[in-house]
Amino acid sequence: MKNTKENNEDIMVNISIDNIDYEVPKGITVLEAARMLNIEIPSLCYLKGINEIGACRVCVVEIEGINNLQASCVYPVREGLKIKTNTEKVRRARKSAVTLLLSNHHRECLTCVRNLNCELQNLADNLGIRDIPYTGEMQDYGFNDNNPAIQRDYNKCINCRRCMAACNTIQDCNVYSPLNRGLDTIIAPAFKKDLADVTCIMCGQCILACPTGSLSEKEEISNVWKAISDPDKIVIAQTAPSIQVTIGESFNMPIGKLVTKQLVTSLRRIGFDKVFATDVTADLTIMEEGSELVDRLLNEPEKLPLLSSCCPGWVKFAENFYPEFLDHLSSTKSPHEMCGALTKTWYAKKYNIDPSKIVTVAIMPCTAKKFEASRPEMTSDGFRNVDYVLTTRELVKMIREVGIDFANLPDSEYDEPFDQFSGAGMIFGATGGVLEAAVRSAHTLITGEEMAVPDYEEARGQSGLKYGTVQIGDKTITIAIAHGTKNARIAIEDFKSGKKKFDYLEVMACPGGCVGGGGQPILANRDYKYISLSYRHNRADTLYNIDKSKIIRQSHNNPRIHQIYEEFLEKPLSHVSHKYLHTTFTPRGKYPYLDKENQEK
């Protein structure tokens, strides 16, 4: 049997840290052992399970019997190990490592997007660094933002390789690699191209992984303020399901706390004219995508498997790497695009509003939504469905700019008619939630009966790739759920090789689903446990608890959905539905920066 961490979980060893004896599991690293015991060892390049390379040398410790300091993030514990985490030699080495980084770092902290929420800044403060005795070259490595979603400031990169590890290990997009040598080294796409010109899916996991302001979303805050200040504009905000359980974290509230009603109040105080729940059009997505699933199961089995399409990062991944599967993608738009489309058509007509005066702002957990909103396909009757996309982090900045005490806000309700949603619409924010919601409605569409128990536990949990079956009447539906596009690639390759067969595949590009989206809060100024990107299950649990407390738990039972179909869309998959709620996809190939002629070569 291999001597792995998993195999050693039940084997304990005795070690000493700073002259105190402890018992810890065999096979874990010194850093893991220390943090398990609430002993702080600082780190910078380390991300548990993602980037464990011992490169930054900030986590060094003294090991008895070894002359050189050792990186605790890669040094395994063993019986009798004696560790010192707080000696003069250790403190001097850590301070020197961080000081050298700062010597060539563009220290624009007061105007940096990560000011007061930067791991490098926090570390320098904790180590008591007050001056930089070294004079670095302070080179200008450049700035890239020629895409709708992500900007890259190379002058703030510290070569920790965390973005590269997230992109390669979690997403398998392999966008980043080290370029040049020595002091000229930067972590960048090939030939230092902009992210728009390579196989980036705009998911933003690199932003979450980045410890500094080198990577950030392309902000649209100023455009939104301008729209709010324009008396001729009706500015409407819509909020994604997962925002309701994440934004509170930025105001020191517990991880995963539900703050829906405070969220709505904060948006009104900022100046939005109306606040809609994207959860309503999540229910609508289920009606359309669930109907597609049923239609293919009953009438067009050759078009199986059906692949979910509500995640724009996954859609772009499929366009980049699996264009041959684009016909299998559900043609439904994502919920926020549906909400934008209906706002400027059905809603505008219903309330006698000129759609040219409506500005739709989607508050999303996702940077890829910015890219999605910019797609030329995302228009209705000549108007962009969504004018601006703000990440959770951008909304936090607006709330702070106004000086709102978010944690103590009174409650408010969403505005009609996008105000009532089912539990199925809520669980969209967690991996497996789309599939579970679709199964609930597909069961009724096929059998004419409600599911006795709407919970589908097999779809839940943080496992990266799950396979299973669902029994609906006399039909057995095989399903697959993947989060993180690396797992999506495994699922597609398994299908292509015949190793696995499934009728329906749900993919979320971000680990954990939207609760782990690239636009969610970065908690660099909180407990290191959360920097490890392991907190997503707390958020998902809240969504499932909300679902369980709902009277209406199936999308097809939502009265607002009935109203929308009766007044405008007619029925799922109707001509009107296809016009406003469905879209097309673009094969991009593996090298989207090349023109068609060069791709063929």
Side-chain angles (χ1 to χ4, degrees), residues 224-232 235:
V224 174
W225 279 127
K226 184 177 179 180
I228 289 173
S229 300
D230 187 339
D232 293 328
V235 189

Side-chain angles (χ1 to χ4, degrees), residues 149-431:
I150 298 174
Q151 57 189 27
R152 177 69 153 159
D153 186 347
Y154 291 103
N155 295 319
K156 295 175 183 176
C157 178
I158 58 172
N159 292 335
C160 67
R161 290 167 166 74
R162 279 166 48 165
C163 62
M164 186 174 78
C167 190
N168 297 357
T169 304
I170 299 173
Q171 304 299 54
D172 201 18
C173 291
N174 301 289
V175 167
Y176 299 104
S177 60
L179 303 184
N180 308 323
R181 295 183 178 182
L183 290 175
D184 293 326
T185 300
I186 57 171
I187 310 301
F191 310 111
K192 204 180 173 184
K193 287 185 173 291
D194 187 83
L195 295 174
D197 301 322
V198 292
T199 53
C200 174
I201 61 173
M202 306 291 169
C203 68
Q205 288 302 305
C206 57
I207 300 175
L208 290 184
C210 181
T212 69
S214 181
L215 281 159
S216 62
E217 64 268 53
K218 195 169 182 178
E219 290 187 350
E220 297 186 274
I221 295 173
S222 60
N223 291 328
V224 174
W225 279 127
K226 184 177 179 180
I228 289 173
S229 300
D230 187 339
D232 293 328
K233 298 296 184 184
I234 299 170
V235 189
I236 298 174
Q238 55 160 305
T239 66
S242 64
I243 305 296
Q244 303 163 46
V245 299
T246 60
I247 193 169
E249 298 163 13
S250 294
F251 301 98
N252 294 316
M253 300 170 84
I255 302 296
K257 181 175 175 58
L258 179 66
V259 292
T260 304
K261 296 183 177 182
Q262 295 102 309
L263 171 61
V264 175
T265 303
S266 71
L267 289 165
R268 289 217 176 90
R269 291 197 178 180
I270 283 172
F272 287 97
D273 297 296
K274 298 289 181 180
V275 184
F276 294 162
T278 316
D279 314 52
V280 178
T281 40
D283 279 331
L284 196 60
T285 301
I286 286 304
M287 294 304 298
E288 296 293 321
E289 187 168 308
S291 296
E292 275 188 289
L293 175 62
V294 171
D295 185 55
R296 296 191 191 194
L297 284 168
L298 299 181
N299 304 315
E300 298 182 288
E302 70 278 5
K303 290 188 177 181
L304 294 172
L306 178 68
L307 311 181
S308 67
S309 63
C310 63
C311 172
W314 150 241
V315 167
K316 194 165 187 292
F317 185 88
E319 290 177 327
N320 283 344
F321 298 104
Y322 294 101
E324 71 272 27
F325 276 84
L326 294 186
D327 287 343
H328 290 266
L329 279 174
S330 165
S331 63
T332 56
K333 294 177 180 176
S334 67
H336 87 114
E337 289 294 332
M338 285 190 179
C339 188
L342 291 178
T343 297
K344 294 189 178 182
T345 53
W346 171 63
Y347 175 81
K349 185 177 181 180
K350 182 179 177 68
Y351 291 92
N352 196 28
I353 301 171
D354 181 352
S356 68
K357 295 185 181 226
I358 295 176
V359 177
T360 52
V361 180
I363 317 298
M364 294 288 117
C366 177
T367 51
K369 296 288 187 188
K370 290 176 178 282
F371 166 78
E372 181 184 29
S374 73
R375 294 180 67 126
E377 305 94 336
M378 297 301 173
T379 59
S380 299
D381 293 345
F383 298 101
R384 279 183 63 174
N385 296 333
V386 174
D387 295 291
Y388 303 110
V389 173
L390 299 178
T391 63
T392 316
R393 295 189 293 268
E394 287 173 273
L395 179 57
V396 167
K397 291 173 185 175
M398 293 183 75
I399 291 170
R400 286 177 173 156
E401 186 174 347
V402 175
I404 295 171
D405 182 5
F406 187 88
N408 294 307
L409 285 175
D411 293 347
S412 290
E413 301 292 340
Y414 285 108
D415 290 301
E416 295 183 0
F418 296 95
D419 57 340
Q420 297 178 35
F421 47 89
S422 73
M426 195 74 186
I427 62 176
F428 249 65
T431 176

